[in-house]
Amino acid sequence: METDVLIVGAGPAGLALAVDLARHGVRALLVERSADLFPGSRGKGVQPRTLEVFDDLGVGRAVRAAGGPYPTGMIWRDGERQGEHRMFDDDEATPAEGAPYHEPWMVPQWRTQRILHARLTELGGEVAFGRELVGFTQDPDGVTAAFASGGPVRARYAVAADGGRSAVRRALGIAMTGESVDPRPMLVADVRVPGLDRDHWHVFPPAGGEGFLALCPLAGTEDFQVAAQFPEGTRIDLSPDGVRAAVAARSHLAAEDVTEVRWASDFRPRAALADRFRQGRAFLVGDAAHIHSPAGGQGLNTSVQDAYNLGWKLAAVLRGGAPAALLDSYEEERRPVAAEMLGLSTRIHRGESRRGAATRQLGLGYRHSSLAVETRTGLPEDALRAGDRAPDGTLDGIRLFEAFQGPHWTLLTVGAAARPPRLPGVRTVRIPSYGPYGDGVFLVRPDGHVGWAGQDAQGAAAYAARLGLR
């Protein structure tokens, strides 16, 4: 079989990339070694920036309908409620100008993946389940992948989205550099506890030699996510009886109060970053490129945004006439972001930082990228610059995020600048002066970041030609 892009792994990153490529009209094959999508809740937090990405991919409304806001924490001791505890800093609930979302949204990972899968099917794509990668080679013209069952696949490019133990990454010989965030193993499970109220995230601090226990009601379901910490060296019992015993030992609940254990897993919190995000015609996204502690709620979000960054670039090279060198910017832009988010997740896990504005990921950008061309001078410190996320807003009946939505570039004129020329393949939009932008002309990339910025349009056409826009 031949395709343009082979994506290995149908997790959030792989599915998001497949959706993005499908809407660009790129042939892609998404393969998954398991027989079905991941069944657990593990990555349950969707940050505001990822909600914006999901809107653009056409799944935002479904994601919001499937989840809900995070509940307030409730601290328990000796079977008594000790009081509420905010799980996020106050600034997490403060709306930012130009941002439609300001709080994380809780959606179990399994449901997010089903929504992305449904969108992929709607766009004419599919997931080939039960395809385990057993061999991977590449040459100057493409890659060849062999599988335990079924014939080989030949593709022009390949993307490893197959998790922290990535078979593609190992085949490429790319090392990961990292550390153990905490030597104490963790249990995470999805359970049913009908007698426990769903208005709070129930937290049971360590007592009697046991580690902490938390029971978080999963929005849009009848389930709770169990998180429990165990002493270093413990072999966690993942059986239903083992999960029930852990809940009973650390809370006022009895084992029989847990009426169903729907999924369970264990892990050791780690932070690791791949030494490279690209080798030849193969790219790493998601957990194949970076492994996070779940404490900061950054892993799934960083993974989806990897895919969002890479998708339009692959499409531009394969379908849009852009030079192949454009793909070099993927690692250049995403590896520093992943490193920054890994550090944040680790600090939150260790209690050195709290969940606040940085976890929303609205401030992440690519100012130092080779794709960011800022031609204005004398800008104030807080000015929007090339490489930054382009803010939302509604002016003269035009909502910017609706104008940006889709696989196209947008040429945005703000304020009194002269009307710019039309550029091939670029949507043109004009609005009056607007605070987050000031005045100027901005070329907004398909992933919602400013590529080029100027006081007027001089130089915009040359920049567009450099990227093969036609």
Side-chain angles (χ1 to χ4, degrees), residues 259-303:
T259 60
E260 188 175 350
V261 178
R262 301 172 61 80
W263 167 81
S265 181
D266 64 341
F267 65 95
R268 274 72 176 167
R270 291 187 62 222
L273 184 67
D275 293 349
R276 299 185 303 280
F277 279 20
R278 178 189 186 183
Q279 182 165 306
R281 289 179 170 265
F283 301 84
L284 309 182
V285 300
D287 287 356
H290 43 81
I291 301 171
H292 301 245
S293 160
Q298 303 300 294
L300 180 149
N301 296 274
T302 304
S303 300

Side-chain angles (χ1 to χ4, degrees), residues 191 193 196 200-202 204 213-217 224-226 247 253:
V191 303
V193 190
L196 190 63
H200 293 97
W201 186 337
H202 302 277
F204 303 84
L213 169 77
L215 287 162
C216 180
F224 285 82
Q225 184 191 68
V226 173
V247 172
L253 299 168

